[in-house]
PDB file of all heavy atoms in Angstrom:
ATOM      1  N   GLY A   1     129.639-192.355-374.610  1.00 94.00           N
ATOM      2  CA  GLY A   1     131.035-192.665-374.388  1.00 94.00           C
ATOM      3  C   GLY A   1     131.200-193.721-373.321  1.00 94.00           C
ATOM      4  O   GLY A   1     130.293-194.504-373.055  1.00 94.00           O
ATOM      5  N   SER A   2     132.373-193.732-372.710  1.00 92.00           N
ATOM      6  CA  SER A   2     132.685-194.728-371.680  1.00 92.00           C
ATOM      7  C   SER A   2     132.127-194.282-370.334  1.00 92.00           C
ATOM      8  O   SER A   2     132.864-193.922-369.411  1.00 92.00           O
ATOM      9  CB  SER A   2     134.193-194.955-371.609  1.00 92.00           C
ATOM     10  OG  SER A   2     134.710-195.413-372.844  1.00 92.00           O
ATOM     11  N   ILE A   3     130.823-194.323-370.232  1.00 93.00           N
ATOM     12  CA  ILE A   3     130.122-193.842-369.048  1.00 93.00           C
ATOM     13  C   ILE A   3     129.761-195.013-368.150  1.00 93.00           C
ATOM     14  O   ILE A   3     129.128-195.969-368.594  1.00 93.00           O
ATOM     15  CB  ILE A   3     128.861-193.061-369.432  1.00 93.00           C
ATOM     16  CG1 ILE A   3     129.229-191.838-370.268  1.00 93.00           C
ATOM     17  CG2 ILE A   3     128.099-192.642-368.172  1.00 93.00           C
ATOM     18  CD1 ILE A   3     128.037-191.121-370.848  1.00 93.00           C
ATOM     19  N   PHE A   4     130.146-194.910-366.895  1.00 91.00           N
ATOM     20  CA  PHE A   4     129.806-195.927-365.919  1.00 91.00           C
ATOM     21  C   PHE A   4     128.463-195.639-365.255  1.00 91.00           C
ATOM     22  O   PHE A   4     127.623-196.523-365.112  1.00 91.00           O
ATOM     23  CB  PHE A   4     130.904-196.050-364.862  1.00 91.00           C
ATOM     24  CG  PHE A   4     130.590-197.023-363.765  1.00 91.00           C
ATOM     25  CD1 PHE A   4     130.628-198.387-364.000  1.00 91.00           C
ATOM     26  CD2 PHE A   4     130.244-196.585-362.500  1.00 91.00           C
ATOM     27  CE1 PHE A   4     130.343-199.301-362.999  1.00 91.00           C
ATOM     28  CE2 PHE A   4     129.953-197.481-361.487  1.00 91.00           C
ATOM     29  CZ  PHE A   4     130.005-198.847-361.740  1.00 91.00           C
ATOM     30  N   ARG A   5     128.282-194.391-364.861  1.00 92.00           N
ATOM     31  CA  ARG A   5     127.054-194.022-364.176  1.00 92.00           C
ATOM     32  C   ARG A   5     126.821-192.529-364.312  1.00 92.00           C
ATOM     33  O   ARG A   5     127.743-191.739-364.180  1.00 92.00           O
ATOM     34  CB  ARG A   5     127.122-194.407-362.694  1.00 92.00           C
ATOM     35  CG  ARG A   5     125.885-194.027-361.896  1.00 92.00           C
ATOM     36  CD  ARG A   5     126.081-194.304-360.426  1.00 92.00           C
ATOM     37  NE  ARG A   5     124.953-193.851-359.634  1.00 92.00           N
ATOM     38  CZ  ARG A   5     124.900-193.859-358.311  1.00 92.00           C
ATOM     39  NH1 ARG A   5     125.935-194.307-357.619  1.00 92.00           N
ATOM     40  NH2 ARG A   5     123.826-193.421-357.683  1.00 92.00           N
ATOM     41  N   VAL A   6     125.577-192.174-364.577  1.00 94.00           N
ATOM     42  CA  VAL A   6     125.174-190.780-364.655  1.00 94.00           C
ATOM     43  C   VAL A   6     124.383-190.428-363.400  1.00 94.00           C
ATOM     44  O   VAL A   6     123.441-191.127-363.037  1.00 94.00           O
ATOM     45  CB  VAL A   6     124.333-190.501-365.907  1.00 94.00           C
ATOM     46  CG1 VAL A   6     123.859-189.053-365.913  1.00 94.00           C
ATOM     47  CG2 VAL A   6     125.132-190.807-367.160  1.00 94.00           C
ATOM     48  N   ASN A   7     124.776-189.366-362.752  1.00 94.00           N
ATOM     49  CA  ASN A   7     124.076-188.903-361.565  1.00 94.00           C
ATOM     50  C   ASN A   7     123.096-187.801-361.959  1.00 94.00           C
ATOM     51  O   ASN A   7     122.158-188.044-362.706  1.00 94.00           O
ATOM     52  CB  ASN A   7     125.084-188.427-360.515  1.00 94.00           C
ATOM     53  CG  ASN A   7     124.468-188.300-359.136  1.00 94.00           C
ATOM     54  OD1 ASN A   7     123.824-187.304-358.816  1.00 94.00           O
ATOM     55  ND2 ASN A   7     124.662-189.315-358.300  1.00 94.00           N
ATOM     56  N   ASP A   8     123.323-186.599-361.471  1.00 96.00           N
ATOM     57  CA  ASP A   8     122.420-185.504-361.786  1.00 96.00           C
ATOM     58  C   ASP A   8     122.557-185.077-363.241  1.00 96.00           C
ATOM     59  O   ASP A   8     123.628-185.131-363.824  1.00 96.00           O
ATOM     60  CB  ASP A   8     122.691-184.304-360.886  1.00 96.00           C
ATOM     61  CG  ASP A   8     122.383-184.577-359.429  1.00 96.00           C
ATOM     62  OD1 ASP A   8     121.797-185.625-359.123  1.00 96.00           O
ATOM     63  OD2 ASP A   8     122.734-183.723-358.591  1.00 96.00           O
ATOM     64  N   MET A   9     121.460-184.614-363.795  1.00 97.00           N
ATOM     65  CA  MET A   9     121.449-184.012-365.112  1.00 97.00           C
ATOM     66  C   MET A   9     120.600-182.749-365.032  1.00 97.00           C
ATOM     67  O   MET A   9     119.750-182.616-364.152  1.00 97.00           O
ATOM     68  CB  MET A   9     120.889-184.956-366.174  1.00 97.00           C
ATOM     69  CG  MET A   9     121.580-186.307-366.245  1.00 97.00           C
ATOM     70  SD  MET A   9     120.988-187.348-367.602  1.00 97.00           S
ATOM     71  CE  MET A   9     121.882-186.610-368.989  1.00 97.00           C
ATOM     72  N   GLY A  10     120.832-181.837-365.944  1.00 97.00           N
ATOM     73  CA  GLY A  10     120.048-180.626-365.889  1.00 97.00           C
ATOM     74  C   GLY A  10     120.280-179.706-367.058  1.00 97.00           C
ATOM     75  O   GLY A  10     121.038-180.009-367.984  1.00 97.00           O
ATOM     76  N   TRP A  11     119.603-178.595-366.983  1.00 98.00           N
ATOM     77  CA  TRP A  11     119.696-177.567-368.000  1.00 98.00           C
ATOM     78  C   TRP A  11     119.985-176.224-367.359  1.00 98.00           C
ATOM     79  O   TRP A  11     119.385-175.867-366.338  1.00 98.00           O
ATOM     80  CB  TRP A  11     118.397-177.465-368.809  1.00 98.00           C
ATOM     81  CG  TRP A  11     118.113-178.678-369.633  1.00 98.00           C
ATOM     82  CD1 TRP A  11     117.386-179.775-369.282  1.00 98.00           C
ATOM     83  CD2 TRP A  11     118.565-178.904-370.971  1.00 98.00           C
ATOM     84  NE1 TRP A  11     117.354-180.675-370.314  1.00 98.00           N
ATOM     85  CE2 TRP A  11     118.064-180.170-371.358  1.00 98.00           C
ATOM     86  CE3 TRP A  11     119.332-178.167-371.870  1.00 98.00           C
ATOM     87  CZ2 TRP A  11     118.323-180.705-372.623  1.00 98.00           C
ATOM     88  CZ3 TRP A  11     119.588-178.710-373.114  1.00 98.00           C
ATOM     89  CH2 TRP A  11     119.081-179.957-373.482  1.00 98.00           C
ATOM     90  N   TYR A  12     120.903-175.494-367.959  1.00 98.00           N
ATOM     91  CA  TYR A  12     121.229-174.135-367.580  1.00 98.00           C
ATOM     92  C   TYR A  12     121.090-173.252-368.809  1.00 98.00           C
ATOM     93  O   TYR A  12     121.116-173.738-369.940  1.00 98.00           O
ATOM     94  CB  TYR A  12     122.651-174.045-367.023  1.00 98.00           C
ATOM     95  CG  TYR A  12     122.839-174.739-365.690  1.00 98.00           C
ATOM     96  CD1 TYR A  12     122.812-176.129-365.594  1.00 98.00           C
ATOM     97  CD2 TYR A  12     123.054-174.001-364.529  1.00 98.00           C
ATOM     98  CE1 TYR A  12     122.983-176.765-364.378  1.00 98.00           C
ATOM     99  CE2 TYR A  12     123.233-174.624-363.304  1.00 98.00           C
ATOM    100  CZ  TYR A  12     123.198-176.012-363.247  1.00 98.00           C
ATOM    101  OH  TYR A  12     123.382-176.631-362.028  1.00 98.00           O
ATOM    102  N   ARG A  13     120.957-171.964-368.588  1.00 98.00           N
ATOM    103  CA  ARG A  13     120.859-171.054-369.718  1.00 98.00           C
ATOM    104  C   ARG A  13     121.612-169.773-369.434  1.00 98.00           C
ATOM    105  O   ARG A  13     121.783-169.362-368.291  1.00 98.00           O
ATOM    106  CB  ARG A  13     119.393-170.751-370.065  1.00 98.00           C
ATOM    107  CG  ARG A  13     118.636-169.962-369.004  1.00 98.00           C
ATOM    108  CD  ARG A  13     117.170-169.850-369.381  1.00 98.00           C
ATOM    109  NE  ARG A  13     116.402-169.076-368.425  1.00 98.00           N
ATOM    110  CZ  ARG A  13     115.081-168.926-368.467  1.00 98.00           C
ATOM    111  NH1 ARG A  13     114.379-169.515-369.434  1.00 98.00           N
ATOM    112  NH2 ARG A  13     114.460-168.194-367.548  1.00 98.00           N
ATOM    113  N   GLN A  14     122.056-169.143-370.507  1.00 98.00           N
ATOM    114  CA  GLN A  14     122.811-167.914-370.398  1.00 98.00           C
ATOM    115  C   GLN A  14     122.426-166.972-371.531  1.00 98.00           C
ATOM    116  O   GLN A  14     122.553-167.314-372.703  1.00 98.00           O
ATOM    117  CB  GLN A  14     124.316-168.184-370.434  1.00 98.00           C
ATOM    118  CG  GLN A  14     125.175-166.962-370.187  1.00 98.00           C
ATOM    119  CD  GLN A  14     126.635-167.314-370.013  1.00 98.00           C
ATOM    120  OE1 GLN A  14     127.076-168.386-370.438  1.00 98.00           O
ATOM    121  NE2 GLN A  14     127.387-166.431-369.386  1.00 98.00           N
ATOM    122  N   ALA A  15     121.947-165.812-371.155  1.00 96.00           N
ATOM    123  CA  ALA A  15     121.633-164.758-372.112  1.00 96.00           C
ATOM    124  C   ALA A  15     122.818-163.802-372.194  1.00 96.00           C
ATOM    125  O   ALA A  15     123.617-163.704-371.255  1.00 96.00           O
ATOM    126  CB  ALA A  15     120.372-164.020-371.694  1.00 96.00           C
ATOM    127  N   PRO A  16     122.960-163.078-373.294  1.00 92.00           N
ATOM    128  CA  PRO A  16     124.069-162.132-373.424  1.00 92.00           C
ATOM    129  C   PRO A  16     124.101-161.138-372.276  1.00 92.00           C
ATOM    130  O   PRO A  16     123.079-160.551-371.917  1.00 92.00           O
ATOM    131  CB  PRO A  16     123.785-161.434-374.754  1.00 92.00           C
ATOM    132  CG  PRO A  16     123.000-162.436-375.534  1.00 92.00           C
ATOM    133  CD  PRO A  16     122.145-163.138-374.516  1.00 92.00           C
ATOM    134  N   GLY A  17     125.275-160.969-371.683  1.00 93.00           N
ATOM    135  CA  GLY A  17     125.436-160.039-370.587  1.00 93.00           C
ATOM    136  C   GLY A  17     124.984-160.548-369.240  1.00 93.00           C
ATOM    137  O   GLY A  17     125.019-159.794-368.258  1.00 93.00           O
ATOM    138  N   LYS A  18     124.548-161.790-369.169  1.00 95.00           N
ATOM    139  CA  LYS A  18     124.080-162.353-367.916  1.00 95.00           C
ATOM    140  C   LYS A  18     124.856-163.616-367.572  1.00 95.00           C
ATOM    141  O   LYS A  18     125.512-164.225-368.418  1.00 95.00           O
ATOM    142  CB  LYS A  18     122.580-162.661-367.991  1.00 95.00           C
ATOM    143  CG  LYS A  18     121.693-161.441-368.193  1.00 95.00           C
ATOM    144  CD  LYS A  18     120.223-161.812-368.160  1.00 95.00           C
ATOM    145  CE  LYS A  18     119.342-160.589-368.314  1.00 95.00           C
ATOM    146  NZ  LYS A  18     117.903-160.949-368.275  1.00 95.00           N
ATOM    147  N   GLN A  19     124.771-164.011-366.325  1.00 96.00           N
ATOM    148  CA  GLN A  19     125.435-165.224-365.877  1.00 96.00           C
ATOM    149  C   GLN A  19     124.652-166.455-366.307  1.00 96.00           C
ATOM    150  O   GLN A  19     123.477-166.371-366.676  1.00 96.00           O
ATOM    151  CB  GLN A  19     125.596-165.209-364.359  1.00 96.00           C
ATOM    152  CG  GLN A  19     124.289-165.295-363.594  1.00 96.00           C
ATOM    153  CD  GLN A  19     124.487-165.320-362.089  1.00 96.00           C
ATOM    154  OE1 GLN A  19     125.571-165.039-361.587  1.00 96.00           O
ATOM    155  NE2 GLN A  19     123.444-165.660-361.363  1.00 96.00           N
ATOM    156  N   ARG A  20     125.326-167.588-366.243  1.00 97.00           N
ATOM    157  CA  ARG A  20     124.666-168.843-366.537  1.00 97.00           C
ATOM    158  C   ARG A  20     123.830-169.270-365.331  1.00 97.00           C
ATOM    159  O   ARG A  20     124.352-169.453-364.233  1.00 97.00           O
ATOM    160  CB  ARG A  20     125.697-169.916-366.884  1.00 97.00           C
ATOM    161  CG  ARG A  20     125.089-171.235-367.317  1.00 97.00           C
ATOM    162  CD  ARG A  20     126.156-172.252-367.726  1.00 97.00           C
ATOM    163  NE  ARG A  20     126.947-171.792-368.858  1.00 97.00           N
ATOM    164  CZ  ARG A  20     127.862-172.527-369.467  1.00 97.00           C
ATOM    165  NH1 ARG A  20     128.102-173.764-369.064  1.00 97.00           N
ATOM    166  NH2 ARG A  20     128.550-172.020-370.486  1.00 97.00           N
ATOM    167  N   ASP A  21     122.541-169.421-365.539  1.00 97.00           N
ATOM    168  CA  ASP A  21     121.614-169.715-364.458  1.00 97.00           C
ATOM    169  C   ASP A  21     121.012-171.105-364.614  1.00 97.00           C
ATOM    170  O   ASP A  21     120.819-171.605-365.720  1.00 97.00           O
ATOM    171  CB  ASP A  21     120.478-168.690-364.406  1.00 97.00           C
ATOM    172  CG  ASP A  21     120.948-167.302-364.029  1.00 97.00           C
ATOM    173  OD1 ASP A  21     121.902-167.196-363.234  1.00 97.00           O
ATOM    174  OD2 ASP A  21     120.364-166.321-364.520  1.00 97.00           O
ATOM    175  N   LEU A  22     120.696-171.683-363.492  1.00 97.00           N
ATOM    176  CA  LEU A  22     120.019-172.970-363.480  1.00 97.00           C
ATOM    177  C   LEU A  22     118.596-172.830-363.997  1.00 97.00           C
ATOM    178  O   LEU A  22     117.885-171.891-363.630  1.00 97.00           O
ATOM    179  CB  LEU A  22     120.015-173.551-362.064  1.00 97.00           C
ATOM    180  CG  LEU A  22     119.373-174.920-361.866  1.00 97.00           C
ATOM    181  CD1 LEU A  22     120.100-175.685-360.763  1.00 97.00           C
ATOM    182  CD2 LEU A  22     117.898-174.782-361.490  1.00 97.00           C
ATOM    183  N   VAL A  23     118.192-173.752-364.843  1.00 98.00           N
ATOM    184  CA  VAL A  23     116.821-173.823-365.320  1.00 98.00           C
ATOM    185  C   VAL A  23     116.078-174.947-364.611  1.00 98.00           C
ATOM    186  O   VAL A  23     115.022-174.740-364.019  1.00 98.00           O
ATOM    187  CB  VAL A  23     116.754-174.028-366.841  1.00 98.00           C
ATOM    188  CG1 VAL A  23     115.306-174.161-367.308  1.00 98.00           C
ATOM    189  CG2 VAL A  23     117.444-172.878-367.564  1.00 98.00           C
ATOM    190  N   ALA A  24     116.630-176.142-364.689  1.00 98.00           N
ATOM    191  CA  ALA A  24     116.010-177.301-364.062  1.00 98.00           C
ATOM    192  C   ALA A  24     117.043-178.399-363.910  1.00 98.00           C
ATOM    193  O   ALA A  24     117.960-178.520-364.722  1.00 98.00           O
ATOM    194  CB  ALA A  24     114.820-177.805-364.881  1.00 98.00           C
ATOM    195  N   THR A  25     116.899-179.188-362.871  1.00 98.00           N
ATOM    196  CA  THR A  25     117.759-180.344-362.658  1.00 98.00           C
ATOM    197  C   THR A  25     116.912-181.552-362.318  1.00 98.00           C
ATOM    198  O   THR A  25     115.783-181.424-361.848  1.00 98.00           O
ATOM    199  CB  THR A  25     118.778-180.118-361.529  1.00 98.00           C
ATOM    200  OG1 THR A  25     118.089-179.832-360.311  1.00 98.00           O
ATOM    201  CG2 THR A  25     119.719-178.967-361.864  1.00 98.00           C
ATOM    202  N   ILE A  26     117.492-182.713-362.543  1.00 98.00           N
ATOM    203  CA  ILE A  26     116.831-183.960-362.201  1.00 98.00           C
ATOM    204  C   ILE A  26     117.886-184.930-361.698  1.00 98.00           C
ATOM    205  O   ILE A  26     118.932-185.112-362.324  1.00 98.00           O
ATOM    206  CB  ILE A  26     116.040-184.527-363.403  1.00 98.00           C
ATOM    207  CG1 ILE A  26     115.284-185.796-363.004  1.00 98.00           C
ATOM    208  CG2 ILE A  26     116.951-184.772-364.602  1.00 98.00           C
ATOM    209  CD1 ILE A  26     114.254-186.223-364.049  1.00 98.00           C
ATOM    210  N   THR A  27     117.632-185.542-360.560  1.00 95.00           N
ATOM    211  CA  THR A  27     118.587-186.456-359.957  1.00 95.00           C
ATOM    212  C   THR A  27     118.452-187.845-360.552  1.00 95.00           C
ATOM    213  O   THR A  27     117.551-188.121-361.347  1.00 95.00           O
ATOM    214  CB  THR A  27     118.391-186.528-358.441  1.00 95.00           C
ATOM    215  OG1 THR A  27     117.136-187.169-358.154  1.00 95.00           O
ATOM    216  CG2 THR A  27     118.389-185.138-357.817  1.00 95.00           C
ATOM    217  N   ASP A  28     119.359-188.735-360.134  1.00 91.00           N
ATOM    218  CA  ASP A  28     119.272-190.115-360.595  1.00 91.00           C
ATOM    219  C   ASP A  28     118.034-190.809-360.054  1.00 91.00           C
ATOM    220  O   ASP A  28     117.626-191.837-360.594  1.00 91.00           O
ATOM    221  CB  ASP A  28     120.533-190.890-360.222  1.00 91.00           C
ATOM    222  CG  ASP A  28     120.817-190.883-358.728  1.00 91.00           C
ATOM    223  OD1 ASP A  28     120.158-190.136-357.984  1.00 91.00           O
ATOM    224  OD2 ASP A  28     121.722-191.628-358.299  1.00 91.00           O
ATOM    225  N   GLY A  29     117.448-190.259-359.011  1.00 89.00           N
ATOM    226  CA  GLY A  29     116.195-190.759-358.481  1.00 89.00           C
ATOM    227  C   GLY A  29     114.985-190.036-359.028  1.00 89.00           C
ATOM    228  O   GLY A  29     113.878-190.214-358.508  1.00 89.00           O
TER     229      GLY A  29
END
């Protein structure tokens, strides 16, 4: 889309009955 700049990106996961938890992140660096 009309994206100027992307900073952090990552993955989260959520199992039934549980909260959404961080899996991994990666910065722009």
Side-chain angles (χ1 to χ4, degrees):
S2 300
I3 299 172
F4 176 73
R5 179 186 176 186
V6 177
N7 196 278
D8 294 351
M9 305 185 79
W11 294 91
Y12 292 70
R13 67 186 182 186
Q14 186 171 21
K18 297 184 178 180
Q19 67 178 13
R20 185 177 299 185
D21 293 327
L22 181 147
V23 178
T25 59
I26 183 167
T27 68
D28 57 350

